[in-house]
Amino acid sequence: MLSKNGTFIYTRKKERIVVCLVGVINRSIKHTWFSIYNNIIMPLKKKYIVDIVLFNNNVEDTMVDGVKLNNRDLKIVPYNYLFKFKQKDFDKKISEIAETDKEFPPYWCNKHKLNGLRQMYMESKVSEFLKKSKYKLALVTNGDHLYINEFVLGKKVNDGIITCSYLDMKG
């Protein structure tokens, strides 16, 4: 970069980071986006060029927690890429996976088990995307999370995975 007096000043180019929101994003994004934006996106923009990618589980007209969702709520998020997956389509794929009929009470049974499998399916789509992408850094979270503090990247550990420093359970 050329300064006012004609000398060259070296400026470091910002690295890109991708923030992936995963799940039934329309469930609560209208209530959580402000916290995600203020506590994740804005702090990251100080150091990185931030791209936002949505991986939406589109439940269509199915009620979630007794509420009909507004599928237009995705427009709240200024995303760079949107991947939409119809729940009814990937439920069929999940049902074809061997041994997904097993239950492990009290938590891994009935609709709770199916919702867990759905979330893992969505996370597998994020993984496929990241493997094919050129991003070196990614932050993956859920549109339901309400962040009350500024997100701080933790230490880099095995295989370049960086975790947050909050409530580290050493798992």
Side-chain angles (χ1 to χ4, degrees):
M1 173 200 279
L2 190 60
S3 72
K4 289 181 184 177
N5 65 6
T7 60
F8 284 96
I9 301 170
Y10 175 75
T11 56
R12 188 172 174 206
K13 185 178 174 185
K14 285 184 176 180
E15 192 173 3
R16 281 195 179 277
I17 187 170
V18 62
V19 174
C20 301
L21 298 180
V22 186
V24 183
I25 297 172
N26 293 322
R27 175 177 29 220
S28 53
I29 198 67
K30 66 184 174 187
H31 303 293
T32 60
W33 175 245
F34 78 95
S35 77
I36 294 168
Y37 181 77
N38 291 327
N39 292 306
I40 293 179
I41 305 299
M42 288 309 293
L44 287 174
K45 281 187 172 188
K46 293 174 188 171
K47 189 173 178 183
Y48 304 99
I49 297 169
V50 180
D51 290 338
I52 301 170
V53 180
L54 306 182
F55 293 83
N56 186 47
N57 173 354
N58 184 352
V59 298
E60 298 177 283
D61 294 329
T62 302
M63 293 182 64
V64 176
D65 301 325
V67 177
K68 184 172 178 350
L69 303 183
N70 182 349
N71 289 317
R72 291 183 305 277
D73 284 347
L74 288 179
K75 293 179 182 181
I76 293 169
V77 181
Y79 57 83
N80 298 85
Y81 303 100
L82 169 62
F83 295 95
K84 296 185 275 187
F85 303 91
K86 289 185 179 180
Q87 182 171 286
K88 68 180 179 187
D89 294 341
F90 67 81
D91 275 357
K92 184 174 179 352
K93 292 178 184 179
I94 289 170
S95 70
E96 294 168 355
I97 298 171
E99 300 190 35
T100 55
D101 58 333
K102 287 187 176 181
E103 296 200 353
F104 302 93
Y107 302 110
W108 196 249
C109 56
N110 303 323
K111 70 177 181 178
H112 301 293
K113 177 184 75 172
L114 181 55
N115 285 339
L117 291 168
R118 288 170 174 158
Q119 185 63 23
M120 286 191 284
Y121 177 84
M122 295 298 295
E123 290 171 1
S124 75
K125 294 302 175 186
V126 174
S127 177
E128 288 173 13
F129 167 78
L130 291 175
K131 285 178 186 174
K132 292 176 184 175
S133 80
K134 294 183 180 183
Y135 293 105
K136 293 181 182 175
L137 291 169
L139 187 151
V140 180
T141 188
N142 188 292
D144 292 334
H145 296 170
L146 183 71
Y147 289 86
I148 58 172
N149 295 312
E150 189 173 298
F151 185 84
V152 178
L153 287 176
K155 294 185 292 188
K156 189 173 185 178
V157 294
N158 302 351
D159 299 323
I161 294 173
I162 300 174
T163 60
C164 67
S165 56
Y166 309 122
L167 196 57
D168 186 359
M169 302 305 286
K170 310 291 184 214

